[in-house]
Amino acid sequence: MGRVLVALGGNALQRAGGHGTWPEQVAQMRLTAAVLATLVADGEELIVTHGNGPQVGTLLRQNELAEHELPPRPMDVLGAETQGQIGYLIEQELTAALVRAKVPRTVLALVSRTVVSRRDRAFQHPDKPVGRYYSEAEARPLRKRQGWEMVYDGARGGWRRVVPSPEPVRWIEGEVLRKLLPRGWGAHIVPVVTGGGGVPVIEKTKGVYEGVEAVIDKDRTASLVAISMDADTLAILTDVPAAAIGFGKPWEKWLGEVRASEMESYLRRGEFGEGSMAPKVQASLTFLRSGGRRAIITDPPSLSRAMRNETGTRIVAD
Ligand code: ADP
Ligand code: MG
């Protein structure tokens, strides 16, 4: 038994290839919630965090379609909106799943802010694609008038907006949450925190923060949260059952239990996709270096077995 931080990826929230309707998202979350309830029934203390890529994409598109009538909101506000929307969905479905599993808990979603450094080099080199693809003709005025940084994706034949993805430095609400939680809190509460990596803010002067046009990788913030909440296990749920070396190649090999040093050498060799699998592996290694016991990378259906070390990628300290 122990304490687990589960990080939900896009797929745990929204089925790939679906239309993204609300009932679809509810159905998908219901499946994931049942898996999380099993962990709690097995005696684990649970903390949840989640991504928000597809949901931010939807809000950006809504902004765009409505801009002649309603002023668009900046990225940090969209981040906060997705924390509310997804946090609510997790509260609803996880609470119900915990009742069904006869381990009722209060699922408590917090709007979380994550401090980033204004000197982070990501602000000079925005590289995280957000939103939809644009044609050359559409992209030109967006670069000129809106001042967007955009990159051309040859494979998909279009332009995409890129925004900075700075390193998370500190989760603001974490300190007080740790003080507020009573001893043995896991028997009563499941906190849902730092959705979408947390709303990115910079500290202007002591205790005074300002939101910034950026996104934070939820996997990187997850390692911060796992460390500060003293989790034993960091479980990163995505749409593949494990991390692989030779991913997509004829010699592809799915990884089971791997020592941190071995995983680090695969990472350095470039085995893990930038912006997809690499941040999960990096987050896992950061967590283990700070005293975490085990990091798991798997998909929701495999999580219970992965917790018993039967499947999924389990990264352990050397
Ligand atoms: P999430 O929303 O869960 O963060 P991502 O798309 O960012 O999902 O990351 C998961 C994806 O990483 C997988 O669908 C897979 O295509 C990709 N990936 C890149 N490299 C690897 C690898 N070495 N092993 C497994 N998956 C990989
Ligand atoms: Mg991702």
Side-chain angles (χ1 to χ4, degrees):
M1 295 315 95
R3 186 173 296 167
V4 190
L5 172 69
V6 175
L8 303 177
N11 189 60
L13 303 163
Q14 199 162 321
R15 193 168 52 88
H19 295 286
T21 65
W22 187 250
E24 254 175 38
Q25 294 186 47
V26 170
Q28 189 70 3
M29 188 62 221
R30 194 160 293 174
L31 296 175
T32 304
V35 171
L36 299 184
T38 310
L39 293 198
V40 175
D42 287 345
E44 302 285 350
E45 285 189 310
L46 182 63
I47 309 157
V48 178
T49 188
H50 60 83
N52 68 350
Q55 291 79 9
V56 165
T58 301
L59 291 178
L60 283 168
R61 185 72 184 132
Q62 285 181 352
N63 265 347
E64 223 171 55
L65 290 171
E67 77 193 340
H68 56 281
E69 211 172 301
L70 299 163
R73 308 269 178 244
M75 293 290 304
D76 56 320
V77 178
L78 303 190
E81 283 184 41
T82 63
Q83 286 185 358
Q85 169 195 326
I86 300 167
Y88 161 62
L89 177 59
I90 296 174
E91 284 180 344
Q92 294 279 85
E93 292 306 321
L94 186 53
T95 305
L98 291 164
V99 167
R100 277 184 225 116
K102 304 201 164 49
V103 282
R105 303 281 187 276
T106 299
V107 181
L108 189 68
L110 271 187
V111 175
S112 305
R113 294 165 298 165
T114 302
V115 179
V116 300
S117 165
R118 74 173 85 218
R119 282 185 299 277
D120 195 299
R121 59 182 298 280
F123 289 107
Q124 265 69 57
H125 306 277
D127 66 355
K128 177 69 187 173
V130 293
R132 69 183 180 103
Y133 288 81
Y134 297 90
S135 70
E136 171 68 41
E138 288 174 313
R140 216 172 300 124
L142 292 171
R143 287 199 303 265
K144 269 231 171 76
R145 278 209 298 280
Q146 314 260 44
W148 286 6
E149 292 264 358
M150 297 186 85
V151 291
Y152 188 71
D153 179 345
R156 305 281 289 265
W159 289 86
R160 261 185 117 186
R161 182 182 182 188
V162 285
V163 296
S165 182
E167 201 63 45
V169 175
R170 183 164 58 89
W171 163 37
I172 296 179
E173 289 73 20
E175 202 177 320
V176 75
L177 181 66
R178 277 197 308 278
K179 283 187 193 144
L180 285 176
L181 287 175
R183 193 176 282 279
W185 57 265
H188 310 285
I189 300 170
V190 176
V192 179
V193 301
T194 66
V199 178
V201 300
I202 53 170
E203 188 165 23
K204 299 210 73 181
T205 54
K206 184 125 187 72
V208 181
Y209 303 96
E210 187 173 83
V212 288
E213 292 269 337
V215 294
I216 302 179
D217 189 296
K218 67 110 180 26
D219 296 318
R220 291 192 195 156
T221 306
S223 66
L224 270 189
V225 174
I227 294 163
S228 70
M229 295 295 289
D230 249 333
D232 307 293
T233 301
L234 167 61
I236 302 179
L237 299 189
T238 183
D239 56 358
V240 283
I245 49 174
F247 181 64
K249 308 265 167 52
W251 57 89
E252 175 179 85
K253 178 174 173 255
W254 296 95
L255 298 168
E257 182 169 308
V258 188
R259 301 212 165 269
S261 57
E262 189 182 340
M263 208 62 180
E264 176 131 42
S265 68
Y266 296 145
L267 179 67
R268 266 198 249 111
R269 228 159 71 185
E271 292 282 357
F272 308 118
E274 278 311 316
S276 59
M277 189 51 74
K280 300 183 201 320
V281 172
Q282 266 152 0
S284 301
L285 294 173
T286 304
F287 173 61
L288 292 173
R289 256 181 245 121
S290 304
R293 277 222 320 261
R294 172 177 65 159
I296 292 176
I297 301 172
T298 193
D299 57 12
S302 310
L303 178 62
S304 299
R305 293 184 53 226
M307 288 294 292
R308 296 195 298 270
N309 294 321
E310 293 168 7
T311 190
T313 298
R314 288 101 53 200
I315 311 167
V316 294
D318 283 296

